[in-house]
Amino acid sequence: MEHFLQYNPVVLALLATLFTYGLTALGAASVFSFKKISNGILNPMLGFAAGVMIAASFWSLLKPAIEIAEANGTTPWVPAVTGFLLGGVFLYSIDKILPHLHLGLPDNKSEGIKTEWHRNILLVLSVTLHNIPEGLAVGVAFGALANHPEMANLTGAIALAVGIGLQNLPEGAAISIPLRQGGLSRLKAFNYGQLSGIVEPIAGVIGAYLVASMKPILPYALSFAAGAMIFVVVEELIPVSQRNNKTDSSTIGAMLGFALMMVLDVALG
């Protein structure tokens, strides 16, 4: 695996985020097998995704940010807190501007700038919104290799990509199957579902390029991605996963997702 350290980190980030996008598409492809998805299945799937993102935010992003800041001789918590809060502010701003509709809500509950866009577009934009920090997180993790080309950092970035990819499977299904229930053909529902993940390679390449080009921003960038992901978890994934009184299954899913991501990061990183 060490030969991967010879590759351009931006290229590695692109490959990794194409992998996570591919698993989004694979999850969306479940619409060819299923027309409906019950809350008994959807809730733990979304809870699992939330657990993975929470664990990744600490183990793969905040913890390394603190360690890098300490190694650089700066106050460790300053970049972590600053970047974390800026990530939340960034996603909050997009949330208020970009028109979108959370899963399971009626049309009159859409958020962002008011528009006459179709419900299907708003649903896709909702998932696209939280794919931005996921792609950014993976990109920043690989971009860190430009200035810290250690094997542990490579395996940690790979673990993060695997974890994000695994939680993209249920997210892809969570968008395509409801679209199919809404009347779209299976092919159109799949296309919309996979399209929601295409932003990940874009965000990944941008994140990797920035941290590879500007070494001092690395701990801030890692923390920024963590803050953006936590915003998504609290704003959307957890509330959506606990609708219709199915809270136990979503909580169990979140615990399992956190545990899996922790194992991946500690074992590989």
Side-chain angles (χ1 to χ4, degrees):
M1 190 182 289
E2 290 185 8
H3 69 279
F4 283 110
L5 291 172
Q6 303 172 9
Y7 288 89
N8 188 310
V10 177
V11 173
L12 292 177
L14 175 61
L15 294 175
T17 47
L18 284 174
F19 164 76
T20 60
Y21 157 71
L23 288 185
T24 299
L26 183 60
S30 62
V31 75
F32 293 110
S33 301
F34 305 98
K35 184 177 179 179
K36 296 182 179 180
I37 183 169
S38 68
N39 286 106
I41 296 175
L42 179 61
N43 286 7
M45 287 167 56
L46 294 176
F48 176 85
V52 167
M53 291 178 70
I54 293 171
S57 295
F58 174 72
W59 296 101
S60 299
L61 299 171
L62 284 173
K63 185 172 179 285
I66 292 171
E67 292 172 349
I68 291 170
E70 191 171 23
N72 291 341
T74 59
T75 306
W77 60 266
V78 172
V81 172
T82 303
F84 183 83
L85 293 179
L86 286 175
V89 170
F90 174 72
L91 257 290
Y92 174 82
S93 301
I94 295 180
D95 187 68
K96 295 302 178 185
I97 297 172
L98 183 70
H100 62 283
L101 178 66
H102 295 307
L103 290 170
L105 291 181
D107 293 358
N108 61 3
K109 294 294 184 179
S110 63
E111 299 180 9
I113 297 173
K114 296 306 176 184
T115 177
E116 297 300 320
W117 290 353
H118 193 276
R119 173 184 177 86
N120 295 336
I121 300 295
L122 295 176
L123 286 171
V124 171
L125 288 176
S126 177
V127 179
T128 302
L129 177 63
H130 69 246
N131 280 337
I132 294 174
E134 293 173 12
L136 184 64
V138 175
V140 167
F142 278 94
L145 295 172
N147 299 300
H148 299 274
E150 292 87 20
M151 192 62 189
N153 291 336
L154 173 61
T155 54
I158 292 173
L160 176 61
V162 171
I164 294 296
L166 289 176
Q167 63 94 38
N168 276 352
L169 279 168
E171 287 187 355
I175 187 65
S176 65
I177 294 178
L179 290 175
R180 171 62 176 156
Q181 289 178 255
L184 288 185
S185 68
R186 294 184 190 276
L187 182 58
K188 284 187 176 180
F190 165 75
N191 285 333
Y192 276 123
Q194 62 84 24
L195 189 62
S196 68
I198 199 65
V199 71
E200 289 195 8
I202 298 172
V205 168
I206 292 173
Y209 176 78
L210 287 176
V211 299
S213 304
M214 296 177 280
K215 180 180 178 179
I217 73 167
L218 178 56
Y220 292 92
L222 289 166
S223 304
F224 181 94
M229 289 214 294
I230 291 298
F231 181 91
V232 168
V233 169
V234 178
E235 168 74 9
E236 180 175 357
L237 289 181
I238 290 178
V240 172
S241 73
Q242 299 206 344
R243 288 184 184 144
N244 301 304
N245 299 317
K246 301 289 185 179
T247 58
D248 288 344
S249 62
S250 63
T251 301
I252 293 171
M255 296 290 290
L256 292 175
F258 187 100
L260 176 62
M261 186 65 232
M262 180 168 57
V263 168
L264 283 174
D265 194 274
V266 174
L268 294 180

